[in-house]
Amino acid sequence: MTLILGMLLDALLGEPRWLWSRIPHPAVLTGRLIDWCDTRFNKGEHRWRNGALTISGLCILAGMLGWVLERIPGTLVDIIALAILLAQKSLVDHVQDVANALRLSVGDGRRAVAKIVGRDTRDMDGSAIARSAIESAAENLSDGVIAPIFWFGVGGLPGLLIYKMTNTADSMIGYRTARHADFGWAAARLDDLLNLIPARVTALLIWGVTSRGNAGAILRDAPLHRSPNAGWPEAAMAYGIDTALSGPRSYDGEIRDYPFVNNTGEHSIGPDHIDQTTRALWKTWVAALGIAALIAIIMRV
């Protein structure tokens, strides 16, 4: 019941601006801690070891905090923590903002999508903007919704906080750059491990709620993705709304020639396809809520 109430509260309130404009969001505090660790420990000849010790220490700290919070009587703290750390409504809102902006102009679309993706947006056309938003929606559905639900179900608040710490660390230091290739390696690999099951569960849910999902094609195309996990929800979404995703894109002025997922799908896409995606996000959330409710009923029997 705690999980169900946390999911419902997140879906209702999202990330209220009136609150997080006054106090730092826990994700912001987590980011500051990781940034401090990066500045303090990402140096010297043993950056790989320093990075492994850093992510280990951060996960222990997150797990201990979760354990302490779970000791507080009642379930209110758990419900509030879930609502804060899940990202269903905020994800849908950000993705829908891109569709709304793209309907105004390509320039507005570029500015909107730049808030949710890390690739170069300056020269994007309408299709590239829509494709970026849809890919971000699919990947963040896994990272920001299904994976936190999964790890809360497995390990309670300690499991949820350890996952969120790892995922945030990966997003900050888990890149193969000159600075972070060694120091962030352990965080990136741990994030890959923690997302191994949730990413595939997300793909299964998307496939289940979209009538055009081709299971065999998803299994074939998911490994084409540059990420061992993100390819699964992206492939499921690509086939679910019949669009070609991934493909070439630019990072820091350099074109990366990635293959398309569902290359036979629609390449010329726009805001209507983003609308389809947000509907699929909500359908997937409803499916996850139903599964959580069913498990709760079974556990009470």
Side-chain angles (χ1 to χ4, degrees):
M1 186 57 69
T2 299
L3 176 56
I4 295 169
L5 292 175
M7 292 177 66
L8 290 171
L9 188 59
D10 166 59
L12 179 65
L13 298 180
E15 296 182 353
R17 216 172 271 181
W18 62 266
L19 175 62
W20 303 124
S21 63
R22 290 171 170 78
I23 61 173
H25 192 283
V28 173
L29 297 176
T30 301
R32 290 175 183 173
L33 176 59
I34 294 168
D35 187 59
W36 180 84
C37 290
D38 185 25
T39 302
R40 178 68 177 83
F41 302 117
N42 188 6
K43 59 181 67 173
E45 298 180 356
H46 303 288
R47 297 190 183 201
W48 186 95
R49 180 199 64 191
N50 293 350
L53 291 173
T54 295
I55 190 61
S56 298
L58 289 172
C59 285
I60 291 171
L61 180 64
M64 290 175 62
L65 176 60
W67 183 85
V68 170
L69 292 175
E70 280 194 333
R71 305 281 79 76
I72 299 175
T75 60
L76 183 60
V77 170
D78 300 57
I79 293 169
I80 293 174
L82 271 163
I84 291 173
L85 297 177
L86 292 175
Q88 173 69 17
K89 188 176 187 299
S90 61
L91 171 61
V92 173
D93 288 347
H94 283 114
V95 173
Q96 190 62 53
D97 284 346
V98 179
N100 298 339
L102 188 54
R103 286 190 169 96
L104 297 176
S105 71
V106 170
D108 286 297
R110 287 171 183 160
R111 285 187 286 275
V113 81
K115 298 176 182 179
I116 61 173
V117 299
R119 69 197 70 171
D120 299 333
T121 61
R122 186 184 61 184
D123 298 321
M124 282 184 174
D125 62 11
S127 291
I129 293 167
R131 184 173 295 112
S132 299
I134 294 167
E135 290 169 9
S136 179
E139 182 175 356
N140 284 289
L141 176 63
S142 178
D143 290 358
V145 182
I146 303 303
I149 290 171
F150 176 84
W151 285 110
F152 180 81
V154 170
L157 276 185
L160 172 60
L161 293 182
I162 288 170
Y163 171 76
K164 294 298 292 187
M165 179 67 77
T166 303
N167 191 243
T168 304
D170 176 62
S171 69
M172 294 180 65
I173 63 174
Y175 296 102
R176 295 177 181 176
T177 60
R179 175 170 178 79
H180 290 124
D182 290 333
F183 184 74
W185 182 89
R189 297 292 77 76
L190 181 58
D191 185 70
D192 288 343
L193 178 63
L194 294 183
N195 278 300
L196 189 69
I197 296 174
R200 287 148 181 82
V201 170
T202 306
L204 181 62
L205 291 173
I206 294 172
W207 173 78
V209 300
T210 55
S211 59
R212 287 176 291 188
N214 184 323
I218 293 169
L219 292 171
R220 181 194 66 223
D221 279 14
L224 296 176
H225 199 277
R226 60 200 176 279
S227 164
N229 293 318
W232 291 90
E234 285 192 27
M237 189 67 76
Y239 281 97
I241 64 171
D242 195 27
T243 59
L245 297 182
S246 194
R249 74 275 315 279
S250 173
Y251 291 98
D252 300 320
E254 178 184 347
I255 295 294
R256 310 285 178 87
D257 192 22
Y258 296 130
F260 280 100
V261 173
N262 187 24
N263 194 29
T264 59
E266 184 65 52
H267 282 252
S268 180
I269 60 178
D272 290 346
H273 295 86
I274 302 177
D275 292 342
Q276 287 181 260
T277 301
T278 57
R279 288 194 291 270
L281 293 178
W282 278 119
K283 289 178 182 178
T284 304
W285 179 87
V286 169
L289 183 68
I291 292 170
L294 180 61
I295 292 173
I297 292 170
I298 292 173
M299 292 181 67
R300 285 178 176 271
V301 174

